[in-house]
Amino acid sequence: MIEIQNISKSYKEVKALNEISLKVNNGELFGLIGPDGAGKTTLLRILTTLLLPDSGSAKMDGLEVCKDFKKVRHIVGYMPGRFSLYQDLSVEENLNFFATVFGTTADENYDLIRDIYYQIEPFKKRRAGKLSGGMKQKLALSCALIHKPKILILDEPTTGVDAVSRKEFWEMLKNLQKKDITILVSTPYMDEADLCDRVALIQSGQILDIDTPTRITEKFSRRIIQVHAQNMYKLINDLRAFENTEAVYAFGQFAHFTGKNDETECNELDTYLHKLGHTNVLVEEIHPGIEDVFMHLMESHNR
Amino acid sequence: MEQLRSFIKKEFYHIFRDPRTMLILFGIPIAQLLIFGTVIKSEITDIHIAIYDQAKDKTSQEITHKLLSSGYFILDKNLESLDDIDAIFKKGKVREVIVFKNDFGKNLVKEGTAEMQLIADASDPNTAKLAIAYTSAIVNDYIKKLYPEMHMPMQITPEVRMYFNEEMQSAYMFVPGVMAMILMLISAMMTSISITREKELGTMEILLVSPLKPAQIIVGKVIPYLFLSIANAFVIVLMGRFVFGVPITGSFILLMLETILFIMMALCLGILISTVAKNQMVAMFISMIGLLLPTMLLSGFIFPVKNMPIPLQVLSHAMPAKYFITIIRAIMLKGVGLFYVWKETAVLIGMTLFFIALSVKKFKIRLE
């Protein structure tokens, strides 16, 4: 459905995208995962015909994004990273406006957006600027969907949205997928990767890996040991000082530890930490998550 | 078509829901017209004067009386010595001092000449000049009535007639000027701001991704402001007519058509600005400094073009407002038809087409 081939794009000196190629299949929920400044927005803007790539080509449903941009604009639904609806128009007016702009009416495609729109319908007379963050996001999604696009492109839709709304939002995306819409979504949150069918890990304008979330973690052969102790700051410093340490990353309540050549065992760390006077020590080996993979890919990439 | 209608409707919502826009659209024109109407004046009233009458005879008192009853002058003080003149000017209120020499009336009768001195405060040269002119006129008038048979040798008395504006009403001058300025302001500034606002708020991104054509976006932006500007032009002409008494001698329809042409030109200019400006601030600056000031200063509205240095005169030819002001002055005051203003009209049409072409060409169908 989406084919990207060797796309590069630079802003003056900064290379935002470097020879990116990837393919999104029909009906897929595809995640573009990477930190801020990785080039996600630039890539999505190229796909939505808002920017021209310096080189390379991209096809959306067989249509060239540079040459057939007019046709592409008919089949794409786009939700930019920033709330981009008219704040001084009411919920209803926004929806109707975007419906007519795309040559349709709100009633015609109401089926598609019903599940999303019914939640904000009680506030349909309210100005969009006065909605809460979660409601704004639902309205933006409704507006992006109103013309029944074949491809839906979402740029960091869950940034700045609370945990409950984020979960709800991903459920909405899953439902849309069932209605035969191909979805490409970008996010800086690694934990959202597991909700996608396939993901591309992107960093500094380059793709590190493309696969299903499970395959990505399965392919990862390193052993990750999760460590917790009372004093996290000291823990991380001590772990980094450990002779066999390759990498230590803080993951919220825990530190994720990778040993040189994966030879370090749990009990080895346990004794080491107890000797240094750590209390409440908890050491266990875990399955690596996407974030672990990402950290290591980034590390090896930078080297 | 449906798309365009919806776009225009949306645009009207923006305008009517934003108090700032409403103020600029409807508050400023009326305020400006009233301010200019009362501030720019070439006639004088209530000038404060002081009189140092050394003669104190019948003639000098009659002249004084005639001056004060004219309505132009108010007597502030009767001075007693020459030194008082300096002092009273320094106080600042008195603009003119009239001095009658000793034996004023006697000398006039005996020798046919008498001396009086007019001293004006020229720190405000316009007022000073006007005050002197008015005073001399009144004094001459008095003398003539007193001695109708008296003929000074080689005296030439020009009979002045101010054609098309017999009483030199300044309203006749500023109404067309203010009209050009306001229409320029509203049309160019408001459209450029409203387009750059979409860029700033990110809604432009969505509009570009939609199947809307650039022409539809441009027309959709222009039409609401076109209507509002026409309404404004109406208000200005009517206020000029009924508040300041500026006549409309020519065809009202022609006047309106020319006005619409000028509005179109300004709107296209606004769109052109918006294609260059990145945000509302820049758009506003360009419109204010790039359009408004030259319109005021170089269009012949306040300062006559003929008195400018050559480079500025050349520059003034690039001012659309100059042509518009010429046209409406001709229609309103001289009552001429299209035949007399076709050259200026053609220039405006040319400018409009040029700006349309340029802005459609420069309108970006993508970001950046």
Side-chain angles (χ1 to χ4, degrees):
Chain A
M1 200 62 170
I2 306 176
E3 276 177 65
I4 303 170
Q5 257 170 10
N6 304 326
I7 280 199
S8 296
K9 170 89 188 168
S10 304
Y11 298 110
K12 292 192 185 124
E13 253 104 274
V14 186
K15 199 138 202 181
L17 293 176
N18 192 3
E19 297 282 313
I20 294 242
S21 298
L22 68 86
K23 225 170 154 176
V24 179
N25 299 324
N26 204 352
E28 214 171 18
L29 173 51
F30 192 96
L32 199 58
I33 302 195
D36 291 345
K40 302 187 299 284
T41 302
T42 307
L43 182 61
L44 296 187
R45 281 185 171 165
I46 289 174
L47 292 180
T48 48
T49 74
L50 285 173
L51 289 179
L52 285 175
D54 296 340
S55 64
S57 67
K59 278 184 185 165
M60 306 275 277
D61 194 25
L63 299 166
E64 280 277 351
V65 290
C66 308
K67 219 169 60 218
D68 303 322
F69 71 93
K70 279 186 185 150
K71 286 179 193 151
V72 172
R73 288 175 180 186
H74 278 279
I75 61 159
V76 176
Y78 174 50
M79 185 173 149
R82 201 158 45 128
F83 180 70
S84 303
L85 299 179
Y86 295 104
Q87 314 249 4
D88 51 348
L89 259 53
S90 72
V91 168
E92 208 179 16
E93 286 159 356
N94 264 302
L95 195 69
N96 286 329
F97 172 69
F98 285 105
T100 24
V101 159
F102 279 92
T104 174
T105 60
D107 295 330
E108 202 172 311
N109 292 319
Y110 188 71
D111 273 353
L112 193 65
I113 58 162
R114 185 172 30 202
D115 296 344
I116 305 158
Y117 189 63
Y118 88 93
Q119 301 176 49
I120 46 173
E121 203 155 19
F123 311 103
K124 65 179 179 186
K125 297 276 180 224
R126 195 182 286 187
R127 305 261 168 101
K130 296 220 160 66
L131 294 175
S132 72
M135 290 203 281
K136 276 184 184 166
Q137 184 203 34
K138 280 170 193 140
L139 176 60
L141 185 60
S142 303
C143 289
L145 282 170
I146 195 67
H147 58 295
K148 207 171 189 311
K150 285 186 185 167
I151 301 171
L152 182 61
I153 289 181
L154 310 153
D155 190 6
E156 301 198 7
T158 52
T159 303
V161 177
D162 66 83
V164 179
S165 301
R166 265 171 69 182
K167 195 159 161 286
E168 262 179 26
F169 193 79
W170 278 93
E171 274 159 24
M172 287 188 260
L173 292 187
K174 290 274 182 202
N175 284 332
L176 288 172
Q177 202 189 352
K178 285 179 202 140
K179 289 170 181 160
D180 198 29
I181 296 177
T182 307
I183 303 172
L184 175 58
V185 56
S186 80
T187 174
Y189 301 120
M190 304 284 165
D191 55 326
E192 289 180 340
D194 294 323
L195 303 165
C196 304
D197 295 335
R198 284 197 308 142
V199 295
L201 304 182
I202 180 169
Q203 153 77 10
S204 314
Q206 281 176 311
I207 289 194
L208 305 177
D209 197 6
I210 305 174
D211 219 324
T212 62
T214 34
R215 278 282 301 150
I216 281 188
T217 49
E218 274 169 17
K219 274 194 304 200
F220 189 61
S221 53
R222 307 301 297 272
R223 287 168 61 193
I224 303 282
I225 298 174
Q226 176 171 289
V227 190
H228 173 79
Q230 190 72 36
N231 186 342
M232 281 302 289
Y233 179 69
K234 189 170 179 306
L235 174 73
I236 287 174
N237 284 336
D238 286 344
L239 281 176
R240 288 198 171 137
F242 187 60
E243 50 181 354
N244 276 331
T245 301
E246 185 181 304
V248 179
Y249 296 110
F251 273 67
Q253 297 284 335
F254 300 96
H256 284 191
F257 170 90
T258 328
K260 277 180 192 150
N261 307 322
D262 293 325
E263 276 164 357
T264 314
E265 295 296 334
C266 287
N267 48 14
E268 208 178 314
L269 271 184
D270 202 42
T271 26
Y272 168 73
L273 289 174
H274 272 114
K275 221 188 304 175
L276 288 170
H278 281 280
T279 53
N280 284 351
V281 177
L282 195 80
V283 181
E284 56 177 345
E285 189 171 341
I286 52 157
H287 288 298
I290 294 270
E291 200 161 350
D292 294 308
V293 181
F294 198 93
M295 290 300 197
H296 281 91
L297 285 174
M298 235 169 78
E299 195 63 23
S300 52
H301 206 85
N302 287 346
R303 233 176 266 151
Chain B
M1 216 41 227
E2 195 57 38
Q3 292 173 323
L4 188 62
R5 232 193 54 187
S6 169
F7 196 100
I8 293 170
K9 201 166 100 189
K10 172 202 79 113
E11 214 51 48
F12 272 117
Y13 282 142
H14 288 325
I15 297 170
F16 290 132
R17 284 177 188 177
D18 182 25
R20 264 192 316 175
T21 310
M22 287 300 278
L23 192 71
I24 293 180
L25 278 177
F26 298 103
I28 286 184
I30 292 172
Q32 264 186 341
L33 195 63
L34 291 175
I35 290 170
F36 274 101
T38 39
V39 170
I40 306 184
K41 280 205 163 175
S42 50
E43 57 261 44
I44 56 166
T45 49
D46 299 346
I47 296 275
H48 285 261
I49 57 167
I51 291 175
Y52 178 26
D53 193 349
Q54 296 171 338
K56 292 206 176 69
D57 54 23
K58 191 171 151 259
T59 323
S60 71
Q61 266 158 24
E62 267 179 14
I63 290 177
T64 306
H65 184 72
K66 207 166 148 62
L67 282 171
L68 295 182
S69 60
S70 67
Y72 301 120
F73 303 104
I74 292 176
L75 180 64
D76 214 61
K77 206 176 169 190
N78 275 308
L79 303 179
E80 293 305 327
S81 75
L82 278 171
D83 298 337
D84 288 352
I85 297 176
D86 230 26
I88 204 153
F89 272 133
K90 280 194 179 137
K91 276 190 200 153
K93 199 171 173 192
V94 167
R95 295 288 173 190
E96 188 189 27
V97 172
I98 299 164
V99 183
F100 296 99
K101 282 278 160 71
N102 269 326
D103 302 328
F104 181 79
K106 221 199 271 169
N107 285 345
L108 191 66
V109 177
K110 239 179 18 201
E111 298 164 23
T113 67
E115 271 182 74
M116 72 184 285
Q117 192 178 15
L118 303 178
I119 310 165
D121 173 2
S123 57
D124 177 356
N126 280 334
T127 314
K129 236 185 263 168
L130 285 167
I132 297 287
Y134 277 59
T135 316
S136 334
I138 291 168
V139 172
N140 282 336
D141 191 50
Y142 172 80
I143 308 270
K144 249 188 215 158
K145 274 187 191 138
L146 204 59
Y147 306 104
E149 75 288 346
M150 191 173 84
H151 287 288
M152 289 176 197
M154 304 285 285
Q155 193 186 32
I156 297 167
T157 319
E159 179 140 330
V160 181
R161 248 196 97 191
M162 291 297 171
Y163 225 56
F164 305 123
N165 187 357
E166 297 273 7
E167 288 150 57
M168 282 290 272
Q169 290 275 353
S170 46
Y172 290 12
M173 177 191 81
F174 79 80
V175 165
V178 170
M179 191 153 145
M181 204 172 74
I182 290 171
L183 294 179
M184 197 75 158
L185 175 82
I186 291 173
S187 311
M189 188 161 93
M190 296 315 282
T191 40
S192 64
I193 285 181
S194 91
I195 293 184
T196 41
R197 182 163 49 205
E198 301 239 11
K199 286 193 203 170
E200 225 174 298
L201 296 179
T203 44
M204 199 46 138
E205 219 171 315
I206 302 211
L207 291 183
L208 289 176
V209 172
S210 79
L212 279 176
K213 295 182 190 74
Q216 280 173 317
I217 297 181
I218 290 179
V219 173
K221 283 281 176 196
V222 160
I223 286 187
Y225 290 103
L226 179 63
F227 279 115
L228 293 172
S229 303
I230 293 173
N232 256 315
F234 236 68
V235 171
I236 296 169
V237 171
L238 289 184
M239 273 180 74
R241 176 78 192 81
F242 294 108
V243 179
F244 297 107
V246 181
I248 303 164
T249 15
S251 149
F252 184 72
I253 294 171
L254 181 63
L255 181 69
M256 273 299 145
L257 286 178
E258 295 278 5
T259 307
I260 292 171
L261 175 65
F262 181 69
I263 294 171
M264 291 288 288
M265 192 285 314
L267 289 171
C268 297
L269 201 56
I271 288 165
L272 190 63
I273 290 173
S274 74
T275 58
V276 186
K278 277 221 158 55
N279 54 46
Q280 293 183 64
M281 188 80 128
V282 177
M284 195 137 110
F285 255 77
I286 299 181
S287 323
M288 283 295 235
I289 294 170
L291 292 183
L292 208 60
L293 281 181
T295 301
M296 273 177 75
L297 302 178
L298 294 181
S299 65
F301 160 34
I302 297 181
F303 307 109
V305 175
K306 286 214 173 68
N307 295 354
M308 294 174 195
I310 299 293
L312 287 184
Q313 281 197 33
V314 173
L315 198 61
S316 82
H317 288 298
M319 296 295 134
K322 181 192 144 190
Y323 300 97
F324 180 62
I325 292 177
T326 312
I327 293 173
I328 46 177
R329 275 183 184 161
I331 297 175
M332 284 174 93
L333 307 179
K334 298 186 198 166
V336 300
L338 184 60
F339 185 70
Y340 291 91
V341 290
W342 69 268
K343 260 192 237 158
E344 285 82 2
T345 310
V347 172
L348 280 185
I349 292 176
M351 284 181 166
T352 311
L353 293 178
F354 175 72
F355 290 136
I356 290 181
L358 205 60
S359 48
V360 169
K361 198 163 163 266
K362 287 205 79 169
F363 190 86
K364 295 180 190 87
I365 52 165
R366 296 188 164 87
L367 294 178
E368 317 250 312

